Amino acid sequence: MPPCTEPLSAAAASLWRHRDFRRYLTGQAASVAGSSITQMALPVLAVLHLDATTAQVAWLAFLGQLPPALLALHAGALADRHSKRRQMITGDLVSATVLATVPVSAALGTLTLTQLMIVAVVQGAASVLHDAAAISLLPSLVDRSLIQRSNSRVGALFAVAATAGSHLGAALTALLGPARALLGDVASYLISAVCTARVQTAEPARVRPEIRRLRGEIGEGLRYVRGDDRLWTLTLVNATTSFALGLLNTLWALYLLRSLAMSATVFGVVLGLGALGAAAGALTAPALARRCGPGPMMLAALAITPLTQLPLLLASPGRAWQITIGAALFVQLACAGAAGTTQRSIRQIVTTAGMQARMQAVSTWLTSGARPVAALLAGALGTWIGVRSALTAGTLLLLIPLVVLARSPIRALRKMPDPPAAPLPSPPAARTSPPAVPTPARTDDTRPDRALGGDAS
């Protein structure tokens, strides 16, 4: 086993002393908790209160997932060109505004499925803007050697926030109803915007081309990812996994709430167990990567994931099966947390600073582009062959990302890769005139690896 290349524990501890990292983490965790409230309340609102059919549930999922497929590449190029923090704040405020219309319409008695679909589209577009900037902002806040540890803590805290959000969503749904429960998500977007506005670390210097069009920068990002075998393989793994899970997740809530007669409260508890699994997977990812190697660990996680769907396919109504499904979801999301934290860290480590947002946007584009198709396929299969048979098809599709990773060299990766080498300075040109007077040295505040030199606030 290769020697561990992880930074010292003292360096890791500095993550929690870094004010801007804490502000970033707090804002994003609040947003994750709020999204879990919506994830809990929206299916209850559509299925139990607005009597949505299987096809309508599929269309709602399709429309919510369509904006990332259409806008991810543009959002990534914009984030590399302009301020990431400003883009995050804009996305948060738009999401808060449009989501607030749902409880208002419910109070007035005018809420319809059509409005929910419109809200899903607008909120999805705003989330694309936010997420493209948020994920690519992290490497500018921490040193490259701390990216895996940072992603581990981010993933774990997000999972805990998702757990809290699921339980809070279940409580708010029971006390206030699913429509007014969405006000919790509205508040989370406002908290995220405030925390992002307080981040003070300078972002890397941005290229502001006067002639190049956004389309050219998008193409550059696509070529960059396609030209790196590691980035391309992990992107394909993400996209194929997303397609399979998109099919499963479209029908999952409908199947639990209607076919298995699960109450809204139990549904929230099951989601909470899954989020705890994601936290456990994210926290243990660095240790598992050191012990097993990043490649074998991700391969094992992808192999276990299809097995965790078996309890759902075999279940019938009853408390015992509810507990079993919750345990299986815990294991599934533990695998997802460990593998997701590791692959995200690899992609961020090997990508240069000026391509971070576009690299992430390519992954988001392919991943998100698979979801609307999967949602429509789920609706068609659920209508034609039944929900349980459609879930079986989704489970079989989870074998595809396993095959993609198993056929790539990444499967044998035994340690985290090295960051890209800094470009060598150009050799000095021959001079026939006296050299110019040197200018005083200055601190480069835009270096992405200076943030953890100390308390950078």
Side-chain angles (χ1 to χ4, degrees), residues 41 79 299 302 322 339 364 375 411 426:
L299 194 65
L302 290 176
Q322 292 172 354
T364 301
R411 70 182 185 278
S426 302

Side-chain angles (χ1 to χ4, degrees), residues 240-251 305-310 312-313 332 374 377-378 381-382 385-401:
T240 51
T241 301
S242 178
F243 184 84
L245 292 179
L247 193 155
L248 291 167
N249 292 341
T250 298
L251 301 174
T305 299
L307 300 178
T308 62
Q309 294 295 316
L310 295 179
L312 182 67
L313 300 177
Q332 177 187 336
L377 180 61
L381 290 177
I385 63 176
V387 174
R388 189 189 294 261
S389 297
L391 293 173
T392 302
T395 300
L396 294 176
L397 288 174
L398 285 172
L399 297 174
I400 296 178

Side-chain angles (χ1 to χ4, degrees), residues 89-384:
I89 293 170
T90 300
D92 282 333
L93 295 180
V94 172
S95 292
T97 301
V98 70
L99 194 60
T101 65
V102 175
V104 171
S105 296
L108 297 175
T110 59
L111 182 64
T112 63
L113 275 170
T114 300
Q115 180 178 344
L116 285 186
M117 292 178 181
I118 295 173
V119 168
V121 171
V122 177
Q123 187 181 8
S127 295
V128 172
L129 287 174
H130 176 277
D131 293 346
I135 298 175
S136 58
L137 179 65
L138 179 63
S140 68
L141 297 180
V142 301
D143 186 272
R144 294 256 173 163
S145 64
L146 294 175
I147 282 181
Q148 188 184 20
R149 290 185 181 271
S150 300
N151 278 319
S152 173
R153 279 128 179 95
V154 167
L157 184 59
F158 283 11
V160 172
T163 304
S166 296
H167 291 304
L168 180 59
L172 290 176
T173 299
L175 293 174
L176 305 176
R180 283 181 286 183
L182 296 177
L183 291 172
D185 198 6
V186 173
S188 77
Y189 282 119
L190 298 178
I191 294 172
S192 175
V194 170
C195 290
T196 302
R198 297 186 64 198
V199 172
Q200 299 174 356
T201 301
E203 298 180 31
R206 295 178 294 274
V207 178
R208 297 180 180 275
E210 296 181 358
I211 300 177
R212 292 182 62 192
R213 296 181 178 179
L214 200 63
R215 181 182 302 176
E217 296 182 47
I218 291 173
E220 185 180 9
L222 287 167
R223 291 189 295 272
Y224 184 86
V225 173
R226 186 64 184 89
D228 189 304
D229 289 339
R230 298 164 297 182
L231 293 176
W232 184 239
T233 296
L234 293 175
T235 299
L236 288 180
V237 169
N238 286 346
T240 51
T241 301
S242 178
F243 184 84
L245 292 179
L247 193 155
L248 291 167
N249 292 341
T250 298
L251 301 174
W252 194 69
L254 178 70
Y255 185 67
L256 292 181
L257 292 170
R258 185 167 291 169
S259 300
L260 298 184
M262 187 175 288
S263 68
T265 300
V266 174
F267 181 61
V269 171
V270 169
L271 291 179
L273 286 173
L276 287 177
L283 283 175
T284 57
L288 290 173
R290 287 195 303 268
R291 179 180 295 273
C292 307
M297 184 267 282
M298 291 189 292
L299 194 65
L302 290 176
I304 294 171
T305 299
L307 300 178
T308 62
Q309 294 295 316
L310 295 179
L312 182 67
L313 300 177
L314 300 174
S316 57
R319 182 60 55 86
W321 278 114
Q322 292 172 354
I323 295 173
T324 304
I325 290 172
L329 186 61
F330 178 94
V331 175
Q332 177 187 336
L333 292 189
C335 292
T341 294
T342 303
Q343 63 85 14
R344 186 183 308 112
S345 299
I346 292 173
R347 291 190 293 117
Q348 289 175 339
I349 289 171
V350 303
T351 301
T352 58
M355 297 296 298
Q356 285 285 343
R358 279 173 284 178
M359 175 277 295
Q360 180 59 41
V362 172
S363 178
T364 301
W365 175 58
L366 290 176
T367 300
S368 301
R371 291 173 186 164
V373 178
L376 290 181
L377 180 61
L381 290 177
T383 301
W384 294 339

